[in-house]
Amino acid sequence: MRAQPPASHFIDGAYVEDTNGTLIESIYPATEEVIARLHAATPDVVERAVASAREAQKAWAHLSPTARGRILRKAADLMRERNQELSELETLDTGKPIQETIVADPTSGADAFEYFGGIIAAGQNGSHIPLGSDFAYTKRVPLGVCVGIGAWNYPQQIACWKSAPALAAGNAMIFKPSETTPLGALKIAEILSEAGLPKGLFNVVQGDRHTGPLLVDHPHVAKVSLTGSVATGRKVAAAAAGHLKHVTMELGGKSPLIVFSDADLDSAVGGAMLGNFYSSGQVCSNGTRVFVQRQVKDAFLDRLKARTDAIQLGDPLDPATQMGPLVSHAQREKVLSYIEKGKAEGARVVTGGGIPNSVSGEGYYVQPTVFADVTDDMTIAREEIFGPVMCVLDFDHEDEVIERANASEFGLAGGVFTADLSRGHRVADRLEAGTLWINTYNLCPVEIPFGGSKQSGFGRENSLAALDHYTELKTVYVATGKVEAPY
Ligand code: NAD
């Protein structure tokens, strides 16, 4: 099997196997071939992972931030050196084209290790609070053992976005990848180990929805950071609340992307395509409700159709391929059923709308699909599809479109294309979302906070803000005189 790792889990600096765990088959979505067989963690494996993380974290927290950062920056260098190999693995894990993974996956993970490794020495300072002759100081202290639970769309990036700030701040991280994409995180563990990370600080345990709760409920786990669907988020947040644990929730979305008539139309079309078709549309922050001002609707759709029809679908390992398959059979069935609902509810198919003829036989491919004349009440305009399906809706006025854009339970992201920058800022201000883009879409460099509002979650990844979510504030009051007690 072409991507079989030495064993299923990585614990305490070494690969670990326990074949008593449920079988997990890793399938290459482009050929439907089984490329690795792994086992979900048994309770015994989870115990070993937590025990080793707990032990390792104590010494790690007492290392200087500079020393911790040096190891993370070394890991970043190793990831960049091995970008080709890691990107190929990410492509096998997810089916995303190598054209994307080579620029967006290990490199984004490396950015996280470099950024948090670089800023931690200055980023974790506390404050001094004068109180007359007394004073107090605060320090940001790590939480202890943190658990990261990943989705399948960006397995390596998610593992790094969670572990980089956690480790930089002095925590240990146990990462559970999605059962659909179990491979990449093991390589990240190998690289961190090679970079000098002491054993036990980054453990990987495989498993599914039955394994996650073993970690979330474990009494020695202090924090859970989940990237996943809203339904899973509700369960994980509820379980964590039962133990009063810290949580970060990076969940789903149905984000609005608003194109005003004065926008640069080619940029708006490009932004909408990036925000709907990158990674075959399997991106949480995608702008899947594209509101286009009526005057430019026809011109927008003409250019969009021409460019969408030219997208190269095919073998994800071919550098010329622009779009690969969806991640799994189940995901393709889900997306196809939404496309059928769109047709049945009266949306107009501008292009796409099914399985491509060009890629026959194997693989979970779906055509990049554009629906026009979509109305707010249609299922495809309300629910997250998580596939290459763009909904174009018409609008006339700014107030109207903001009200409609905000009429969603989700609040992950949003975008506005306009030549009028005052309007751009005004609209960004009024849209209810965690991340907004003006005249671009879906750019998420590590320097800026990323996360959602409303049902899309809470907490932030990346930027200095992420450190707040992996530490807590400790306050120390220092008296300089005698204690005056009234007794
Ligand atoms: P999912 O919710 O099915 O699974 C996510 C992870 O949670 C998996 O590792 C799964 O094994 C685990 N899990 C499931 N039930 C659990 C439980 N009860 N306790 C603990 N863990 C449990 O999501 P998915 O299908 O893997 O990913 C797609 C979803 O993720 C989409 O909704 C997408 O929008 C969202 N997503 C969000 C972001 C973000 O940053 N906001 C990024 C990527 C994906």
Side-chain angles (χ1 to χ4, degrees):
M1 272 173 293
R2 59 169 146 166
Q4 183 68 41
S8 299
H9 319 289
F10 193 96
I11 296 171
D12 212 32
Y15 274 99
V16 167
E17 191 56 271
D18 181 348
T19 52
N20 291 321
T22 317
L23 183 68
I24 296 175
E25 288 196 325
S26 169
I27 294 170
Y28 180 37
T31 60
E32 304 179 33
E33 144 202 14
V34 176
I35 53 169
R37 289 203 170 86
L38 300 94
H39 295 272
T42 55
D44 178 53
V45 166
V46 169
E47 279 309 322
R48 286 171 68 178
V50 175
S52 90
R54 199 165 170 236
E55 182 56 34
Q57 191 267 335
K58 292 175 197 149
W60 179 244
H62 286 100
L63 266 191
S64 77
T66 305
R68 293 199 300 262
R70 194 176 303 129
I71 292 170
L72 299 185
R73 294 196 311 278
K74 171 79 177 154
D77 292 344
L78 290 173
M79 285 189 75
R80 290 215 175 84
E81 278 167 25
R82 294 177 201 168
N83 189 29
Q84 181 70 32
E85 177 199 330
L86 289 167
S87 300
E88 283 171 15
L89 183 66
E90 186 78 346
T91 289
L92 291 172
D93 225 357
T94 61
K96 296 193 291 183
I98 190 87
Q99 194 185 91
E100 282 186 21
T101 53
I102 203 95
V103 294
D105 293 275
T107 48
S108 157
D111 282 355
F113 286 133
E114 185 172 6
Y115 176 83
F116 287 104
I119 57 127
I120 191 61
Q124 209 178 345
N125 289 345
S127 59
H128 172 271
I129 304 163
L131 298 166
S133 50
D134 290 353
F135 65 94
Y137 60 89
T138 62
K139 54 199 281 191
R140 294 218 70 98
V141 295
L143 302 172
V145 177
C146 301
V147 161
I149 300 178
W152 41 254
N153 58 343
Y154 280 80
Q156 291 184 27
Q157 183 189 78
I158 293 170
C160 296
W161 279 19
K162 294 191 189 307
S163 60
L167 293 171
N171 301 283
M173 163 71 56
I174 302 173
F175 187 75
K176 191 202 80 62
S178 164
E179 60 276 28
T180 311
T181 53
L183 304 176
L186 293 168
K187 281 281 167 206
I188 309 289
E190 278 182 31
I191 284 174
L192 280 165
S193 202
E194 196 178 327
L197 188 75
K199 58 186 191 173
L201 288 168
F202 183 71
N203 294 333
V204 177
V205 299
Q206 305 292 349
D208 56 14
R209 66 196 162 86
H210 302 293
T211 320
L214 301 177
L215 293 162
V216 176
D217 291 329
H218 199 288
H220 293 143
V221 167
K223 179 196 169 107
V224 181
S225 176
L226 169 79
T227 298
S229 61
V230 172
T232 303
R234 289 199 182 106
K235 285 184 205 149
V236 173
H243 308 274
L244 296 176
K245 289 182 184 179
H246 297 254
V247 281
T248 293
M249 289 286 146
E250 294 286 356
L251 309 177
K254 189 76 194 177
S255 300
L257 191 161
I258 303 172
V259 180
F260 284 93
S261 59
D262 62 352
D264 175 326
L265 267 201
D266 284 323
S267 289
V269 168
M273 290 177 74
L274 279 170
N276 278 273
F277 299 146
Y278 208 69
S279 300
S280 298
Q282 303 163 117
V283 180
C284 53
S285 50
N286 271 354
T288 45
R289 289 182 293 148
V290 180
F291 291 92
V292 180
Q293 205 160 18
R294 208 174 300 272
Q295 301 90 299
V296 292
K297 171 184 171 180
D298 291 342
F300 181 90
L301 286 175
D302 286 350
R303 292 186 207 193
L304 177 63
K305 176 173 165 41
R307 287 172 66 175
T308 303
D309 288 346
I311 291 176
Q312 295 290 318
L313 270 78
D315 173 5
L317 289 167
D318 177 348
T321 294
Q322 295 173 311
M323 190 185 279
L326 296 178
V327 76
S328 64
H329 177 74
Q331 189 62 16
R332 179 166 76 172
E333 291 305 299
K334 182 180 157 199
V335 171
L336 290 174
S337 86
Y338 273 113
I339 290 175
E340 291 314 310
K341 264 185 208 149
K343 293 175 186 169
E345 291 181 11
R348 171 164 63 95
V349 178
V350 173
T351 185
I355 294 172
N357 300 324
S358 55
V359 196
S360 58
E362 296 154 338
Y364 310 124
Y365 291 87
V366 170
Q367 287 176 311
T369 298
V370 176
F371 278 110
D373 306 332
V374 177
T375 53
D376 298 348
D377 55 330
M378 289 182 186
T379 309
I380 55 169
R382 288 185 289 107
E383 297 181 12
E384 183 184 51
I385 299 174
F386 227 57
V389 183
M390 187 193 305
C391 296
V392 178
L393 304 95
D394 314 328
F395 79 95
D396 293 300
H397 305 294
E398 184 178 317
D399 283 346
E400 167 218 331
V401 76
I402 287 169
E403 194 180 318
R404 290 169 57 199
N406 285 338
S408 167
E409 60 171 344
F410 299 109
L412 188 55
V416 49
F417 279 83
T418 176
D420 176 350
L421 270 189
S422 301
R423 173 158 62 195
H425 289 292
R426 197 164 60 229
V427 171
D429 184 55
R430 294 177 65 195
L431 287 178
E432 295 165 357
T435 307
L436 279 309
W437 291 277
I438 299 175
N439 291 332
T440 187
Y441 204 81
N442 258 356
L443 297 180
C444 293
V446 67
E447 293 89 345
I448 67 173
F450 180 77
S453 64
K454 295 159 77 175
Q455 295 293 297
S456 295
F458 40 80
R460 292 292 176 266
E461 297 201 301
N462 290 342
S463 80
L464 283 170
L467 291 179
D468 290 348
H469 297 293
Y470 284 103
T471 54
E472 61 191 356
L473 209 53
K474 179 177 268 190
T475 306
V476 181
Y477 186 113
V478 183
T480 58
K482 282 194 172 299
V483 172
E484 288 181 20
Y487 326 105

